[in-house]
Amino acid sequence: MQINLTLLQNVALFNGIETENLSGLLACIGATRRSYDKNEMIFQNGDEVVALGIVLRGNVQIIKEDIYGNRTIIAQISEGGLFAEDFSCAQIKRLPVGVKAASDSDILFINYRRIITTCTSACTFHNRLIENMVGILAQKNVALGQKIDHLSHRTTREKLLSYLSGEAQKAGSNHFFIPYNREELADYLCVERSAMSHELGKMRNEGLLRFNRSEFEINPVVLDHENH
């Protein structure tokens, strides 16, 4: 397995572990890599959870689809991010969601049990991996709470304002990019796409924001007035 170890320096799971130790670490925890084409399913709803995934290249989406074909995007995971770790930790045997490659992607798979179980060589990095995993799960819990806050608003406009304000705060700027196209954003916010596009157009005409594809700029003065 050939992996550019410099890619792993931005992976939160490996924080505090020296680059020269990563090769031994990956061998110890049985890491394997696989490549996926855009729109290829990595995990299907109902698949057995055997490993967590780390995005080395590309982006993946966590999706939920009901029996009627209605799709909701739970989250998008970019390079360095983890997925399926919560289900692995909870020892859930079957995934209640699907995982799709949103672009051509390289994924590193790790058996969760190999992380939390001390090996016969008593590698010193296992405790660090466990500490990092706890931090990752806590951050994912915060992100889920933020999404619940967006969805708790009643109207499409309120959901959009909540989400875009949150993205601006995350970027530390009124000018920012979002990780979704229009269809994906509608799926993420659980709203109808045409109604959302119409609302975005109205908000642009009212001077609340400007946008071009995934690039947005909000007007904080007008937005503050809107919220009051």
Side-chain angles (χ1 to χ4, degrees):
M1 175 184 61
Q2 294 295 323
I3 296 178
N4 185 348
L5 298 182
T6 59
L7 295 175
L8 302 183
Q9 294 177 340
N10 295 323
V11 176
L13 182 63
F14 303 128
N15 282 347
I17 298 174
E18 299 297 330
T19 304
E20 57 266 26
N21 295 326
L22 286 176
S23 292
L25 180 155
L26 294 177
C28 180
I29 59 181
T32 59
R33 187 187 66 180
R34 182 177 170 185
S35 297
Y36 293 85
D37 295 329
K38 181 178 180 179
N39 293 326
E40 185 177 356
M41 294 301 297
I42 300 171
F43 288 136
Q44 297 279 1
N45 189 322
D47 279 353
E48 182 179 0
V49 183
V50 296
L52 60 89
I54 300 174
V55 182
L56 298 179
R57 177 180 67 93
N59 296 277
V60 306
Q61 292 177 346
I62 313 301
I63 57 178
K64 180 74 173 180
E65 191 167 353
D66 63 23
I67 60 174
Y68 304 106
N70 298 312
R71 186 184 71 161
T72 299
I73 296 178
I74 307 300
Q76 178 148 311
I77 313 299
S78 57
E79 293 181 5
L82 277 67
F83 61 89
E85 76 286 352
D86 43 358
F87 300 110
S88 298
C89 291
Q91 299 184 24
I92 295 175
K93 295 185 180 298
R94 301 290 177 182
L95 274 177
V97 297
V99 182
K100 183 184 76 171
S103 63
D104 293 346
S105 302
D106 292 330
I107 308 298
L108 185 71
F109 292 103
I110 299 172
N111 188 313
Y112 174 71
R113 302 302 303 178
R114 298 282 290 271
I115 294 177
I116 65 174
T117 303
T118 302
C119 67
T120 55
S121 300
C123 299
T124 57
F125 48 68
H126 274 94
N127 286 339
R128 184 66 185 186
L129 286 176
I130 293 172
E131 292 176 5
N132 291 343
M133 180 62 72
V134 171
I136 291 168
L137 291 172
Q139 291 173 358
K140 289 289 185 72
N141 189 51
V142 170
L144 180 59
Q146 291 172 337
K147 178 173 182 178
I148 291 173
D149 181 57
H150 300 328
L151 299 186
S152 67
H153 295 281
R154 294 187 177 183
T155 68
T156 297
R157 172 176 288 221
E158 289 171 345
K159 290 179 180 181
L160 281 167
L161 288 174
S162 177
Y163 172 73
L164 294 174
S165 295
E167 290 299 295
Q169 292 175 341
K170 188 187 304 183
S173 171
N174 297 329
H175 179 259
F176 54 92
F177 291 83
I178 66 172
Y180 303 116
N181 60 34
R182 292 294 178 270
E183 181 179 0
E184 292 168 344
L185 180 59
D187 288 341
Y188 179 79
L189 294 176
C190 300
V191 297
E192 205 278 323
R193 178 183 175 181
S194 61
M196 184 196 73
S197 296
H198 177 69
E199 197 61 56
L200 282 171
K202 288 177 58 179
M203 293 163 65
R204 177 172 56 189
N205 293 338
E206 294 168 14
L208 270 69
L209 51 82
R210 293 185 294 178
F211 58 85
N212 179 35
R213 297 182 181 271
S214 63
E215 182 180 9
F216 282 79
E217 183 176 0
I218 61 175
N219 186 333
V221 177
V222 179
L223 190 60
D224 183 68
H225 177 73
E226 172 82 10
N227 291 332
H228 290 82

